[in-house]
Structure formats: C-alpha cells, structure tokens
Amino acid sequence: AARPREAAALRGYSSVTAKLGEVEAWTDRKEAAARTYARASDLADRAIALNPEDRDGLFLAASIWFRQADQLRQFGKPEEAEKGFRKSLETYRKLQTMAPAPRNRNAIALTLGRLGSVYFQSEQFSRSRSSYEEGLGIARALSSEQPNHIGYANVYSTLLAEYASILGLPEITNLGEAAEAEKYFRELLLFRERLSQRDPASVRMRHELVLARYQLGAVLLERDAREALRLARLAKSAVKAGEDTITNTKWHLIRADFLEAQALAALGDHDGARRALASLRARKPDAESTAVTPIALAILGAKIDGKAAIEDLMAETLNPRGERRSLRTIRQLAEARELLAR
C-alpha cells in the first residue's frame, strides 16, 4: 500500500516541478528550465517504477517528457528533442493499448506532429512528412468524431498549419511543394471557417481565420495573384475595430498588408501596392513580424519603384550580429542583388 501512495506523491511533485519548468522557459531562463525539466522527468520515472500500471501516472509522465522535448526543440536541439518525443509517444501508445481513450489518440497525434517538426529541423524530410501525415490522420478522424471538442479541433488545426507551412509557405524554408501546401491550407481554411461560424463571438477563432487566409494567399501568389489579393483583403476584413492592437492580430494584419502589396505589384497596380505598404508601415512592424523583414520590404520596393533600399540591403548583407542565415534570407539576398544589377 505504501508504494502506490509514494508513487502518487512523486507524481504530484513531478507535476508541480514541470509547471515551474514551464514558467522558467516562458521567462527565457533556458538553463534553469532545462534543469527543472530534468528533475521533473526523474521524478516521473521514479513514480512509474513504483506503480507501472498507474494510467494517470503514465499519462502525466508522457506529458512531462513531451514538454521537456518541446523546450529542447525550441532551443534548437532536435536530436535531444527527438529522444524525448519518442519516449513520450511510446508511453501514449502503451496507454492506448492498455485502455483506449480519445485523449491518448489526441496526445499521439500531437506528438507525431512534434516529431515531424524535429525531423524537418534535422533535414530528415521523408520522416518528417510521414510523421506529420500519420498524426494528421489521427487528428482529422478524432475531430470528425467529436466536432465540438475544442482541444481536438486545436490539435487538428495546428498540425494542418504546421505541415502545410513546411510543404510550401514562402516565408519559411520549405520543401517547395506548393501544390500540396495549397491542398492542406485549403483544408485548414475550410475547417477554421466552420469553427468561426460556430462561435462568431470568438476573437481567437476569427483571428486564426485571418492567418489561414493569409497563408493560402501566400502560397497562391505566384500562380494566381488575383486570388491572393482577394484572400489578403478578406483576411483584413475579418478583424473588427479595436482588435488590431492585439499583438498576434497585428502580426497577421501586417502579413495581410504585405501579401496585398505583393499581389497588387504582380498585377501591375503599383499605386495600390504603395498604399498597401503605407498601411503596413503605419502598423509599425517590428522584429517579431518575421514574415515581413526589412529585406523583404526592400525587394518589394524594388519591384514597385525600380529601385531598392540600399541601406536595408547592406545591413542585411553585412549581418553584423553574425546570426546564421536561413535559406529564405539567402534567396532574398540573391533576388535583391539581381534587382540591383538591372
């Protein structure tokens, strides 16, 4: 009798310790968070050793390993993150065998998505696609079976957005599969439209719809600038008065402004493109607005006006902080140099 009681005490201790690790990670204390998560993981291991058939204990342990691995993923340590996600996935699958339950399937789907992200980081592209597609299959089925469960809807929506983005969203390094990306972004947009219609008062649902419209438009831009323009304007129209000051919404609107300017430039409406850029700049984009970097704005300016903002291009080329360049930045620099040479 003492062993289950001790296991329950360790389980509670591990849960509180993991919460502390989350707080440390949120406040950017990375080293402290890593130590705290390691401690929480050790406590969870000890609890399971004392009571290996405790399903609640197993689920808690798997969630702690998941959160620890997710921090490692965000800190740029994909190899270590992969081990944690695999350990978590094995435990969730064991639980599903012991006692099938929707929450286990949902956790399996989410963990498969995180593994897909880790594989993508480490350039294991085939494994990334396989993992995302397996997770999406589970999440899609679960959301269909329980359409009113917001947690299952969120996982399905998240996996759709992540997978479509790595397939072909222009603002990130991607696999260059624009047609496939379009398919998944259309599925995402349709799903988020249904969620928004179900709860029209939800600001969060409405603003996720803004992002989905932007993402589909960005993928379509080169092939169908007119449809990209329609989606950019539709995205902006979903935001109500006063909501544009919400940080995430502001970023989405900046992206939509940028897409509108790109589409108008592609269609030859340079005056309209300048107005869209003026709207974007009025929102005061900052370093967090990653889709709209100074070099991206300079390149668009070059396309509109036949000249480039040399200072911005030089600042990006010199890269005084010595930061590692993404493939997207390298491509943008090549495009900028080509425009400057004309």
Side-chain angles (χ1 to χ4, degrees), residues 250-251 254 257 278-289:
K250 174 185 168 183
W251 296 343
I254 287 168
D257 281 332
S279 172
L280 184 159
R281 292 191 173 99
R283 299 187 202 279
K284 299 179 180 178
D286 51 34
E288 298 298 327
S289 308

Side-chain angles (χ1 to χ4, degrees), residues 62 76 86 102 117 140 142 145 147 150 193 214 217 268-269 271 285 316 329:
R86 283 194 165 281
S117 174
R140 186 184 288 114
L142 193 54
E145 292 164 18
I150 193 63
E193 282 175 342
Y214 158 76
D269 183 355
D271 287 339
E316 187 70 25
T329 301

Side-chain angles (χ1 to χ4, degrees), residues 3-4 7-8 11 44-61 65 91 93-99 103-104:
R3 288 172 67 87
R11 185 178 72 196
D45 283 334
R46 287 166 56 191
I48 289 172
L50 288 168
N51 193 357
E53 300 304 311
D54 177 12
R55 294 198 294 271
D56 288 336
L58 284 167
F59 193 91
L60 173 64
W65 298 328
T91 306
R93 282 179 164 157
K94 177 182 176 180
L95 277 166
Q96 183 65 3
T97 301
M98 290 170 64
R103 75 167 186 171
N104 299 333

Side-chain angles (χ1 to χ4, degrees), residues 15-37:
S15 177
V16 172
T17 304
K19 293 287 185 185
L20 175 60
E22 282 186 25
V23 172
E24 289 170 336
W26 290 338
T27 53
D28 207 29
R29 290 178 283 166
K30 296 180 182 180
E31 292 183 5
R35 289 193 299 269
T36 303
Y37 270 120

Side-chain angles (χ1 to χ4, degrees), residues 304-332:
I304 294 170
D305 297 324
K307 64 186 179 193
I310 303 297
E311 297 84 358
D312 287 340
L313 294 177
M314 289 302 295
E316 187 70 25
T317 305
L318 291 172
N319 196 26
R321 295 182 300 278
E323 294 168 350
R324 182 181 176 187
R325 295 190 194 291
S326 68
L327 290 176
R328 178 170 67 95
T329 301
I330 292 169
R331 286 198 299 268
Q332 286 178 330

Side-chain angles (χ1 to χ4, degrees), residues 17 21 29 67 108 116 129 159 188 233 272 282 284-285:
T17 304
R29 290 178 283 166
R67 282 179 280 173
I108 288 168
R129 295 184 66 152
L159 294 187
L188 174 66
R233 288 174 171 169
K284 299 179 180 178

